Amino acid sequence: MALLEVTNLSISFGGLRAVEDFSVSIEKGQLYGLIGPNGAGKTTVFNLLTGVYKPDEGLIHLEGKNITNLRTIDINKEGIARTFQNIRLFKNLTVLDNVKAGLHNRYHYSAIEGILRLPRFHKTEKIMNEKAYELLKVFELEGEADYLAANLPYGKQRKLEIARALATGPRLLLLDEPAAGMNPNETKELMDTIRFVRKEFDMTILLIEHDMKLVAGICEELTVLNFGKILTSGETSEVLNDSRVITAYLGE
Amino acid sequence: MKSKITKGKDNLITYGIVLISYVIAQILISAGQMSYLLQGLLVPICVSVILAVSLNLTVGILGELSLGHAGFMCLGAYFGAIFTHCMKDIITFSPLRFFLALLIGAVVAGFFGFLIGMPVLRLRGDYLAIVTLAFGEIIKNVANALYLGIDRNGLHISLKDSLSLNLEEDGTVIIKGAQGIISTPRDANFTIGVILILITLFIIMNLVKSRDGRAIMAIRDNRIAAESIGINITKYKLMAFSLSAALAGIAGVLYSHNISSLVATTNTFGYNMSILILVYVVLGGIGNIRGSIIAAAILTLLPEVLRFLDEQRMLIYAIVLIAMMLFRWSPQIIAWREQHSLKNLLQKFKKTTSKKEVR
């Protein structure tokens, strides 16, 4: 069974069919790419998958479970985590606290236990710190743990966002243009990080990207969106050589 | 830019400031160096500090603008005072009675915070401010119109006048409409006020540095991202808002047990008071608990200390407000402050001494 099974997803905003008949099937452990020109509806697909928008039609199944009309927070609890195209960190929290916020639903103690500093508070916070530092180490952010997130350089903010998403313990990770605004060196480093995350956490990843080098370098399969509809999908090399894709998107 | 944040010792310094101020005040009183006027201001200062710190939870930590904080204070003040009047002859041990009054004030205000918060916290920004403002005014006006009496049959409520309460002969009127509640036992004192400040600080500062506080601040910083990592927005907004209201209720109970006649006017529980509390928070620094304490204390003292200026009093008060605002928020002054902060001076001192040692 596929990890993520999306069938005939559609949504309209007023008269605009933003996404029409979108279907995709992603196997566990896959690195899947979603590409397309600006305004093709890629981020809308992410927003549908994470419950920000409710689809007009279509179904979303995660490991056989129907998650189509769940709330965003419940979809996260089911195991889908995401990053954002325009970075959305908790800017006035420390880097460590950003990741610990991601651990929110995995380690519990009540507000009373927290205020009165009961033993369970200390015990849980200690575990949370350990887990958070483990994640920060993966992204080489442990040295900046006490910095405010707003003061991190751009590339590290992107990494922190991925670390925070992973902290929620997802089965599927959605990355919305992770390389946006990065220079070629940073992009290369990011590719290594994404590969590493997949191996280390045994993660399935669906990513939106404009950087064709990155897409060609790490994605195994691609779906190309154009005007809200699927233009084509299949193995990366085939898709990128498809003449329709080249005219619609890559030019010439 | 300051990139690392300080932690750990910060809370201790805040508790320390409160405790040291308390000790100094007590020494001044016992040495007979404090005027009666000033002594009379001690409990009001505690009230202002609790109000400012609790409003900072809504405005600074949760990031929502509330203009109805005085309304919650009003609820606490009235319910606490009503309880004390009803129990005046039953519980004669005043600390216990006052403790129960505080609990009731906090629970009632917190409950109303919860009720108001449920629909209103779905609104954002200006809308929330407008609804809370209206709520504060409604509470104040209801309190103004309310008549309440007690006799052996229980409580009687009327919105007309005290005669329509139809009290038995042994009954007494507790709330007399616009005349409010008079001669509530003076159960509050400075020591209790300071203890309540410390409890408020303990609750808020520990909450901020816990799982739930992180969730609240995450919502403030980015609601969409907080939702995407599974944080329940409504739950945590309600938690912060009700807690803030409950603490304002406590401040209200403290207030009502320190004055002989409790009336609901614009200046005590209305719009003016809500704005005044907001001024404490903004001048002390939004999200800065210690700043709220200092701003609330100074701005409560100031009008009375400046009384000798007679007519120019409010003029000077306004100038001090502007000066504090500049000191707090002007970029140039912030830069200057960081350069000349105690921490920096100490560091410079350490550097120079360590260089000497190397030589």
Side-chain angles (χ1 to χ4, degrees):
Chain A
M1 192 200 318
L3 180 84
L4 181 74
E5 189 77 59
V6 179
T7 39
N8 304 329
L9 213 56
S10 299
I11 188 171
S12 309
F13 299 114
L16 175 77
R17 297 279 275 174
V19 173
E20 200 174 346
D21 252 353
F22 178 84
S23 301
V24 74
S25 172
I26 301 176
E27 298 295 329
K28 191 171 184 329
Q30 235 180 348
L31 227 165
Y32 203 104
L34 184 61
I35 63 172
N38 284 328
K42 305 180 297 293
T43 299
T44 308
V45 169
F46 269 27
N47 284 336
L48 286 167
L49 291 179
T50 53
V52 177
Y53 303 141
K54 305 276 174 251
D56 298 336
E57 288 162 54
L59 290 171
I60 307 164
H61 284 91
L62 189 70
E63 276 188 339
K65 189 178 175 190
N66 186 357
I67 58 163
T68 312
N69 281 314
L70 292 186
R71 293 179 302 168
T72 305
I73 62 166
D74 294 323
I75 287 177
N76 179 259
K77 283 176 194 162
E78 288 296 330
I80 298 183
R82 73 175 290 185
T83 65
F84 297 87
Q85 190 174 352
N86 45 339
I87 304 174
R88 289 179 178 276
L89 287 173
F90 307 131
K91 288 192 172 157
N92 299 309
L93 298 190
T94 61
V95 169
L96 182 68
D97 277 350
N98 265 273
V99 179
K100 280 165 86 177
L103 294 168
H104 185 81
N105 281 327
R106 292 170 70 193
Y107 301 95
H108 294 264
Y109 58 82
S110 69
I112 306 278
E113 284 170 313
I115 288 171
L116 297 180
R117 297 291 194 246
L118 296 181
R120 190 138 158 246
F121 163 83
H122 293 287
K123 219 173 79 189
T124 316
E125 282 287 314
K126 198 172 157 242
I127 300 172
M128 285 174 110
N129 276 335
E130 281 164 12
K131 291 277 167 196
Y133 266 105
E134 263 171 41
L135 272 168
L136 288 178
K137 262 183 203 134
V138 169
F139 292 91
E140 290 163 352
L141 287 166
E142 76 270 26
E144 285 99 340
D146 289 335
Y147 283 53
L148 292 185
N151 293 334
L152 283 185
Y154 186 81
K156 291 194 169 180
Q157 292 197 5
R158 285 252 172 237
K159 283 182 170 180
L160 177 58
E161 221 192 5
I162 300 176
R164 184 183 67 189
L166 284 174
T168 65
R171 288 183 275 181
L172 174 67
L173 182 64
L174 309 180
L175 302 176
D176 198 343
E177 294 200 26
M182 283 190 175
N183 64 36
N185 272 337
E186 286 174 321
T187 306
K188 203 173 155 290
E189 204 185 310
L190 179 79
M191 281 166 72
D192 293 337
T193 313
I194 293 175
R195 281 201 200 96
F196 179 79
V197 164
R198 172 161 77 149
K199 229 178 99 193
E200 181 80 9
F201 296 90
D202 197 18
M203 190 61 58
T204 314
I205 298 172
L206 170 62
L207 62 87
I208 293 176
E209 192 45 75
H210 274 301
D211 190 318
M212 280 308 132
K213 243 190 217 155
L214 186 137
V215 172
I218 60 174
C219 293
E220 287 132 12
E221 277 192 55
L222 287 182
T223 287
V224 186
L225 271 182
N226 197 18
F227 298 116
K229 288 183 205 157
I230 291 180
L231 194 66
T232 180
S233 55
E235 272 182 38
T236 302
S237 53
E238 286 171 25
V239 169
L240 289 182
N241 291 322
D242 190 313
S243 60
R244 284 172 304 167
V245 177
I246 292 169
T247 41
Y249 187 26
L250 302 172
E252 302 298 297
Chain B
M1 279 302 275
K2 205 164 74 172
S3 52
K4 272 199 171 182
I5 64 151
T6 48
K7 48 181 186 179
K9 280 182 190 161
D10 248 28
N11 287 358
L12 287 180
I13 295 174
T14 311
Y15 293 128
I17 288 175
V18 175
L19 280 174
I20 289 169
S21 320
Y22 173 70
V23 170
I24 291 174
Q26 288 295 9
I27 291 171
L28 284 178
I29 292 172
S30 56
Q33 292 297 312
M34 196 184 274
S35 69
Y36 277 112
L37 182 84
L38 222 50
Q39 285 187 34
L41 276 175
L42 291 175
V43 176
I45 288 175
C46 295
V47 173
S48 302
V49 168
I50 297 172
L51 285 171
V53 172
S54 63
L55 183 63
N56 213 338
L57 177 61
T58 301
V59 176
I61 314 294
L62 177 64
E64 299 284 359
L65 185 58
S66 163
L67 294 180
H69 213 53
F72 296 117
M73 177 196 177
C74 182
L75 283 168
Y78 269 73
F79 275 86
I82 291 167
F83 173 82
T84 304
H85 274 281
C86 293
M87 294 293 153
K88 210 159 28 180
D89 305 321
I90 301 169
I91 308 172
T92 46
F93 182 56
S94 69
L96 173 69
R97 189 176 61 206
F98 189 55
F99 174 74
L100 291 174
L102 284 168
L103 265 188
I104 285 177
V107 168
V108 170
F111 175 72
F112 270 84
F114 184 79
L115 277 189
I116 304 293
M118 285 252 262
V120 165
L121 286 173
R122 287 163 204 273
L123 307 172
R124 246 167 282 152
D126 305 345
Y127 300 104
L128 181 71
I130 292 165
V131 176
T132 48
L133 171 64
F135 162 76
E137 288 300 296
I138 290 169
I139 293 290
K140 184 203 83 189
N141 288 327
V142 169
N144 248 327
L146 195 69
Y147 290 84
L148 185 111
I150 186 170
D151 60 15
R152 64 180 156 224
N153 297 326
L155 289 169
H156 298 254
I157 298 173
S158 163
L159 289 171
K160 261 164 71 192
D161 50 40
S162 43
L163 279 180
S164 60
L165 288 171
N166 294 324
L167 290 177
E168 303 276 334
E169 276 171 19
D170 65 330
T172 47
V173 183
I174 298 176
I175 306 179
K176 288 187 187 131
Q179 287 172 359
I181 304 178
I182 52 166
S183 62
T184 310
R186 286 207 167 199
D187 290 344
N189 60 44
F190 184 43
T191 307
I192 294 179
V194 169
I195 292 171
L196 290 176
I197 290 180
L198 290 175
I199 291 174
T200 307
L201 288 176
F202 182 82
I203 291 174
I204 291 185
M205 294 199 299
N206 280 358
L207 176 77
V208 166
K209 286 181 183 171
S210 75
R211 172 176 173 269
D212 303 83
R214 260 195 311 271
I216 293 166
M217 291 187 289
I219 294 168
R220 169 197 69 190
D221 279 4
N222 203 311
R223 200 183 59 87
I224 293 172
E227 224 171 356
S228 86
I229 56 169
I231 290 173
N232 189 335
I233 308 281
T234 321
K235 176 184 159 188
Y236 284 106
K237 274 188 168 183
L238 267 179
M239 181 195 275
F241 194 69
S242 324
L243 183 60
S244 166
L247 292 170
I250 286 183
V253 178
L254 190 64
Y255 175 82
S256 67
H257 288 72
N258 184 54
I259 48 169
S260 42
S261 128
L262 177 74
V263 284
T265 64
T266 316
N267 285 331
T268 53
F269 297 126
Y271 174 70
N272 284 2
M273 186 62 189
S274 290
I275 293 292
L276 191 61
I277 307 168
L278 191 64
V279 167
Y280 300 153
V281 172
V282 173
L283 286 185
I286 292 173
N288 182 342
I289 306 285
R290 201 187 304 158
S292 295
I293 300 174
I294 295 168
I298 291 178
L299 292 180
T300 312
L301 269 174
L302 204 59
E304 301 302 325
V305 174
L306 292 179
R307 210 167 264 285
F308 68 94
L309 290 168
D310 290 333
E311 281 171 4
Q312 284 82 36
R313 181 165 71 116
M314 290 324 279
L315 183 74
I316 301 290
Y317 183 78
I319 291 173
V320 172
L321 273 189
I322 295 170
M324 275 178 86
M325 193 164 63
L326 285 176
F327 180 75
R328 179 73 210 151
W329 294 109
S330 153
Q332 287 92 340
I333 295 180
I334 289 174
W336 184 88
R337 259 183 12 220
E338 267 172 20
Q339 254 176 28
H340 295 81
S341 72
L342 210 58
K343 219 180 281 166
N344 256 336
L345 289 179
L346 276 177
Q347 260 171 10
K348 267 183 206 159
F349 181 71
K350 267 184 203 160
K351 266 183 200 163
T352 47
T353 46
S354 61
K355 267 180 198 163
K356 275 175 197 162
E357 276 165 20
V358 171
R359 278 172 201 162

